[in-house]
């Protein structure tokens, strides 16, 4: 039976050296050869996912990109954007203006051309661009001059201080947005109701599949909805204790080819 296989990137698809191992690569290509649909499910923008899609031969098999935690779904082979969710432009500007007046942490917004930010001092700005394989542009009045509806706003701050700052955003805008702490230093705001779980449900529906046909691999809090909603929610051995408590199965770590281990044990055997 055909499966929809969703993989998070950092801590899941990539090992601790930020590489896709040969064993994991071969397993995911084999899955596509067997007729399964592979989705890279990430909070990243499309630029930050393209290199991994190429490694996994998505252009050959029609693999999917789920970017911005489910905000935009793209068929990598055809370039077609299947699903796209954005923040209301006025709401996005309201959030940015509020943050500049009330918070110490800075933000970035992804455009089709790269990363936009209002400050050169944005925490880990250059690292963010390096991971996204893109560049950044500083626009001083971005909170007021933004002229497109973004898929998400990402705040970046020191791990020991971000919780207190993000709490202010949550209290102010939680009823209008979806919010998640995606890593110890990133806090993301997306359209209301958008998350990785809903993304997989939309994709499954698009292909006439159900959530019982979905296998999701993740390790962090922003993977929670897809782990809970998938027919098989698989958490990596390096995942957080909280995430492991929500898993249907705990596989080996990202440094031990946990994705390949699960596929070989539970998916490929059923095709032989």
């Amino acid at each position: 039976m055909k499966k929809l296989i969703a993989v998070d990137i950092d801590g899941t698809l990539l090992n601790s050296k930020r590489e896709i191992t040969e064993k994991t690569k071969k397993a995911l290509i084999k899955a596509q050869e067997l007729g399964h649909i592979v989705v890279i499910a990430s909070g990243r923008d499309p630029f930050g996912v393209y290199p991994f899609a190429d490694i996994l031969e998505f252009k050959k098999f029609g693999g999917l990109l789920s970017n911005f935690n489910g905000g935009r779904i793209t068929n990598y082979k055809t370039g077609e954007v299947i699903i796209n969710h954005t923040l209301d432009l006025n709401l996005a500007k309201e959030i940015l203006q509020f943050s500049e007046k009330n918070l110490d942490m800075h933000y970035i917004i992804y455009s089709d051309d790269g990363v936009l930010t209002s400050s050169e001092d944005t925490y880990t700005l250059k690292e963010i661009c390096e991971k996204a394989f893109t560049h950044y542009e500083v626009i001083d009045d971005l909170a007021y001059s933004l002229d497109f509806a973004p898929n998400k706003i990402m705040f970046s701050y020191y791990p020991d201080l971000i919780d207190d700052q993000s709490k202010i955003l949550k209290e102010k805008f939680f009823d209008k947005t979806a919010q998640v702490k995606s890593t110890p230093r990133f806090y993301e705001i997306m359209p209301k109701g958008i998350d990785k779980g809903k993304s997989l449900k939309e994709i499954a529906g698009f292909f006439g599949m159900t959530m019982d046909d979905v296998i999701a691999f993740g390790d962090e809090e922003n993977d929670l909805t897809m782990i809970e909603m998938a027919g098989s929610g698989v958490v990596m051995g390096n995942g957080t204790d909280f995430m492991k408590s929500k898993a249907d199965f705990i596989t080996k770590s990202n440094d031990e080819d946990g994705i390949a281990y699960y596929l070989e044990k539970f998916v490929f055997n059923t095709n032989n």
Side-chain angles (χ1 to χ4, degrees):
M1 181 180 294
K2 183 166 71 173
K3 296 291 185 181
L4 182 65
I5 301 169
V7 295
D8 170 54
I9 295 183
D10 297 299
T12 304
L13 177 62
L14 304 185
N15 63 12
S16 58
K17 295 180 181 179
R18 294 171 62 180
E19 300 170 338
I20 302 177
T21 67
E22 190 65 19
K23 187 172 183 178
T24 294
K25 170 187 170 182
K26 288 181 177 179
L28 288 169
I29 289 175
K30 180 178 179 178
Q32 294 175 95
E33 290 173 338
L34 291 171
H36 304 297
I37 301 170
V38 176
V39 183
I40 296 178
S42 174
R44 296 188 186 194
D45 74 304
F47 290 108
V49 177
Y50 293 160
F52 310 122
D54 288 334
I55 290 171
L56 299 178
E57 299 185 16
F58 273 20
K59 284 189 177 178
K60 177 179 180 180
F61 296 105
L64 303 180
L65 310 181
S66 174
N67 297 108
F68 307 119
N69 290 315
R72 183 188 300 179
I73 315 301
T74 308
N75 181 312
Y76 192 58
K77 182 178 181 179
T78 65
E80 178 189 3
V81 177
I82 298 171
I83 299 164
N84 191 41
H85 300 283
T86 61
L87 286 162
D88 175 79
L89 175 57
N90 290 330
L91 174 59
K93 293 170 76 171
E94 181 185 354
I95 293 169
L96 299 182
Q97 292 167 23
F98 175 85
S99 71
E100 292 194 352
K101 294 175 181 177
N102 297 280
L103 303 177
D104 294 324
M105 62 180 177
H106 299 296
Y107 55 82
I108 68 166
I109 291 174
Y110 292 97
S111 73
D112 289 337
D113 298 318
V115 166
L116 304 179
T117 182
S118 63
S119 174
E120 192 83 41
D121 296 328
T122 299
Y123 184 62
T124 68
L125 177 60
K126 293 181 179 179
E127 180 183 336
I128 291 169
C129 292
E130 179 183 336
K131 288 177 67 176
F133 302 97
T134 189
H135 66 281
Y136 68 88
E137 179 182 358
V138 176
I139 302 175
D140 294 336
D141 66 342
L142 182 58
Y144 298 88
S145 63
L146 182 68
D147 60 0
F148 67 93
N151 290 98
K152 75 171 184 179
I153 300 169
M154 187 170 81
F155 291 86
S156 177
Y157 208 49
Y158 302 99
D160 56 337
L161 299 175
I162 194 169
D163 286 345
D164 288 340
Q165 292 279 293
S166 61
K167 182 180 179 182
I168 299 171
L169 285 171
K170 185 174 183 179
E171 291 175 348
K172 177 69 175 178
F173 296 106
F174 193 73
D175 62 328
K176 300 178 181 179
T177 62
Q179 302 186 26
V180 66
K181 182 181 178 183
S182 55
T183 77
R185 51 192 177 177
F186 296 147
Y187 192 77
E188 306 184 12
I189 297 183
M190 298 150 295
K192 187 71 174 176
I194 299 303
D195 54 49
K196 289 187 177 183
K198 181 176 180 181
S199 166
L200 295 186
K201 187 174 181 179
E202 288 183 306
I203 295 170
F206 183 84
F207 287 100
M209 304 167 74
T210 71
M211 291 306 288
D212 287 339
D213 301 317
V214 177
I215 302 170
F217 293 89
D219 68 311
E220 288 278 0
E221 182 184 335
N222 68 328
D223 303 318
L224 176 61
T225 55
M226 72 174 185
I227 294 298
E228 289 185 323
M229 293 176 67
S232 299
V234 185
V235 173
M236 309 300 289
N238 51 287
T240 65
D241 290 340
F242 172 74
M243 289 299 295
K244 289 177 180 177
S245 73
K246 302 295 183 179
D248 295 311
F249 185 85
I250 300 172
T251 190
K252 294 184 178 181
S253 75
N254 61 331
D255 286 327
E256 300 171 300
D257 297 295
I259 292 174
Y261 174 80
Y262 181 91
L263 293 177
E264 289 167 356
K265 186 177 180 67
F266 296 106
V267 177
F268 299 157
N269 284 343
T270 65
N271 286 275
N272 296 330

